[in-house]
């Protein structure tokens, strides 16, 4: 390997981009993260890190408890609007089976902890990457603040609307609208009510999720089947109209929301898989590579997996071998992420059913699903992460947080 320090430029300071930057930094790379936002922000919502993402963090030596602590829910599951449970999983059983339970935290807390693991000058806020030239040779990263030369690697973590994806895959059909919109917000810890449990409630063409976060706050989300671009004039009134008669504590939680802090986004995924996640010295990860709907809670988790695999493959790679390492990254990640993208789309279609008969059949099927079958379905997600070359996802001698 050359004695010259390798340099990676990361487009985007989301969870995937920051995780990749931390992974590379810990393997001796110099990293420059370009983020279009003017600075770090507390605006955002929650994220649930499944066991596969937590194991991926372990492989890069990132201690998630710095961001979240150890608080976990006792149980989680699916409910009907009347409060009746359709399915319920004990998190102690999940921990025993998968090495640890899911961990819910605020996205900004996770981003702050990842940023703190980087050199103070690594992140350049207010700098948007507009294009990358000569990705096959010596990449030149074009930004609205000037060009960056001398990159050995460029990582496109520039989100679901990735300009770099559109440029390098001009014939790709782009995004597919799921038919749903989503509202998300986080309530302060003081808003937590007795009996608040981690659950998603399925109605007719509508869903509502309640997720207590590790720091005591509460993450709320809701979805509804509506045309793209639907934006109610009064968010609280709209949410109360849709979900205000559902089981406790949903109505009381809705009364506590700050409408100005509610985010609304129409839900999209990629209409088709990308043929590969690399081009020369340029690699895509996270939503830029495999945008998926949030129905399995795996969008952010797969970005973390991407970053861990990318860091592993580039750990001891000389500058001349970067393109080959990125080809190996594509080979390692394309099939898994697309399978999850497709599975998330199918799960969303089932959850969004609106016809009364279809909803009744769906709910009956969920209640009748044997625990063993549900565990197998989770295993495909939670046990599916592995580093290339058959390595154990958690290196020998590294203790997990549980």
């Amino acid at each position: 390997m050359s004695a010259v320090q390798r340099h990676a430029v990361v487009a985007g300071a989301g969870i995937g981009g920051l995780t990749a930057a931390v992974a590379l930094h810990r393997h001796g790379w110099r990293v420059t993260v370009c983020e279009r936002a003017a600075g770090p922000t507390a605006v955002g919502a929650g994220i649930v890190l499944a066991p596969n993402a937590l194991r991926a963090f372990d492989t890069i030596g990132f201690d998630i408890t710095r961001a979240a602590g150890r608080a976990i829910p006792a149980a989680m599951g699916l409910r009907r609007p009347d409060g009746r449970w359709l399915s319920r999983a004990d998190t102690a059983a999940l921990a025993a089976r998968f090495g640890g339970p899911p961990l819910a935290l605020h996205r900004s807390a996770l981003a702050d902890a990842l940023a703190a693991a980087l050199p103070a000058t690594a992140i350049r806020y207010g700098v948007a990457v507009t294009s990358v030239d000569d990705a096959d040779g010596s990449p030149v990263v074009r930004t609205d603040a000037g060009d960056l030369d001398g990159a050995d690697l460029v990582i496109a973590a520039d989100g679901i609307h990735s300009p770099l994806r559109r440029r390098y895959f001009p014939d790709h059909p782009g995004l597919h609208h799921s038919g749903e919109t989503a509202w998300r917000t986080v309530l302060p810890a003081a808003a937590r009510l007795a009996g608040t449990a981690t659950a998603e409630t399925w109605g007719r063409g509508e869903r509502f999720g309640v997720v207590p976060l590790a720091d005591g706050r509460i993450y709320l989300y809701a979805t509804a089947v509506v045309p793209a671009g639907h934006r109610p004039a009064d968010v609280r009134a709209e949410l109360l109209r849709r979900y205000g008669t559902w089981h406790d504590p949903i109505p009381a939680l809705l009364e506590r929301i700050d409408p100005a802090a509610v985010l609304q986004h129409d839900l999209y995924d990629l209409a088709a898989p990308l043929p590969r996640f690399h081009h020369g010295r340029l690699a895509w990860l996270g939503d830029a590579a495999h945008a998926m709907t949030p129905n399995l809670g795996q969008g952010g988790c797969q970005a973390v997996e991407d970053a861990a695999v990318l860091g592993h493959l580039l750990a001891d790679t000389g500058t001349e071998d970067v393109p080959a390492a990125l080809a190996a990254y594509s080979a390692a990640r394309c099939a898994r992420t697309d399978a999850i993208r497709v599975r998330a789309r199918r799960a969303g279609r089932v959850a969004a059913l609106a016809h009364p008969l279809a909803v009744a059949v769906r709910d009956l099927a969920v209640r009748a699903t044997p625990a063993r079958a549900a565990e197998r379905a989770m295993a495909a997600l939670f046990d599916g992460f592995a580093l290339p070359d058959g390595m154990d996802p958690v290196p020998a001698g590294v203790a997990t947080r549980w």
Side-chain angles (χ1 to χ4, degrees), residues 52 77 79 143 145 147 149 163 171 178 181 194 208 224 255 263 289-290 305 328 341-342 348 366 378:
N52 54 303
R79 305 179 78 171
T143 82
D147 295 345
D149 297 317
D171 296 327
S178 70
T181 196
F208 197 95
E255 292 290 353
L263 306 174
H290 45 69
E305 285 193 16
R341 178 189 67 87
V342 171
V366 172
M378 287 189 288

Side-chain angles (χ1 to χ4, degrees), residues 95-175:
R97 170 61 180 83
F98 298 110
L103 184 62
L105 65 160
H106 199 288
R107 284 179 177 267
S108 66
L110 177 55
D112 289 347
L114 288 165
L118 294 170
T121 59
I123 305 177
R124 301 185 182 182
Y125 290 106
V127 177
V129 172
T130 56
S131 66
V132 175
D133 295 339
D134 194 20
D136 290 304
S138 299
V140 177
V141 180
R142 311 286 186 189
T143 82
D144 55 7
D147 295 345
L148 297 175
D149 297 317
D152 300 300
L153 163 71
V154 181
I155 299 176
D158 52 347
I160 190 170
H161 299 289
S162 171
L164 296 179
R165 183 184 67 228
R166 290 197 299 269
R167 176 177 178 183
Y168 280 90
F169 299 99
D171 296 327
H172 188 272
L175 299 176

Side-chain angles (χ1 to χ4, degrees), residues 3 73 81 108 164 206 216 221 236 262 291 328 351 356 375 382:
S108 66
L164 296 179
E206 298 171 331
Y221 63 89
R236 179 185 281 113
V262 176
E375 182 180 302
F382 299 165

Side-chain angles (χ1 to χ4, degrees), residues 36-305:
R36 69 174 61 249
T41 176
V43 175
I47 181 171
V48 178
L49 296 173
N52 54 303
L54 296 173
R55 288 199 297 274
F57 274 130
D58 279 336
T59 68
I60 66 172
F62 178 72
D63 182 6
I64 193 65
T65 61
R66 292 184 58 191
R70 297 177 181 272
I72 58 173
M76 54 198 303
L78 294 174
R79 305 179 78 171
R80 300 193 329 181
D82 62 7
R84 188 173 183 180
W85 289 93
L86 296 172
S87 68
R88 199 172 188 182
D90 182 278
T91 50
L94 289 176
R97 170 61 180 83
F98 298 110
L103 184 62
L105 65 160
H106 199 288
R107 284 179 177 267
S108 66
L110 177 55
D112 289 347
L114 288 165
L118 294 170
T121 59
I123 305 177
R124 301 185 182 182
Y125 290 106
V127 177
V129 172
T130 56
S131 66
V132 175
D133 295 339
D134 194 20
D136 290 304
S138 299
V140 177
V141 180
R142 311 286 186 189
T143 82
D144 55 7
D147 295 345
L148 297 175
D149 297 317
D152 300 300
L153 163 71
V154 181
I155 299 176
D158 52 347
I160 190 170
H161 299 289
S162 171
L164 296 179
R165 183 184 67 228
R166 290 197 299 269
R167 176 177 178 183
Y168 280 90
F169 299 99
D171 296 327
H172 188 272
L175 299 176
H176 160 263
H177 182 230
S178 70
E180 292 182 280
T181 196
W183 295 273
R184 297 175 296 148
T185 193
V186 175
L187 300 184
R192 183 174 289 193
L193 302 171
T196 301
T198 299
E200 182 170 289
T201 302
W202 287 2
R204 294 171 50 188
E206 298 171 331
R207 288 176 281 167
F208 197 95
V210 179
V211 183
L213 302 182
D215 62 5
R217 289 182 286 180
I218 307 171
Y219 170 37
L220 305 180
Y221 63 89
T223 71
V225 176
V226 296
H230 169 81
R231 295 294 182 271
D234 187 329
V235 173
R236 179 185 281 113
E238 175 81 354
L239 296 178
L240 284 169
R241 179 181 69 82
R242 291 181 177 275
Y243 314 101
T245 60
W246 289 19
H247 64 79
D248 292 333
I250 291 175
L253 292 172
L254 286 175
E255 292 290 353
R256 289 163 167 76
I257 67 170
D258 174 6
V262 176
L263 306 174
Q264 182 179 355
H265 296 93
D266 297 327
L267 298 182
Y268 290 87
D269 62 3
L270 281 192
L274 292 182
R276 61 190 181 280
F277 290 171
H278 75 287
H279 181 102
R281 294 177 178 271
L282 173 60
W284 285 262
L285 64 71
D287 283 347
H290 45 69
M292 59 186 69
T293 52
N295 301 300
L296 299 178
Q298 280 288 313
C301 295
Q302 290 305 303
V304 173
E305 285 193 16

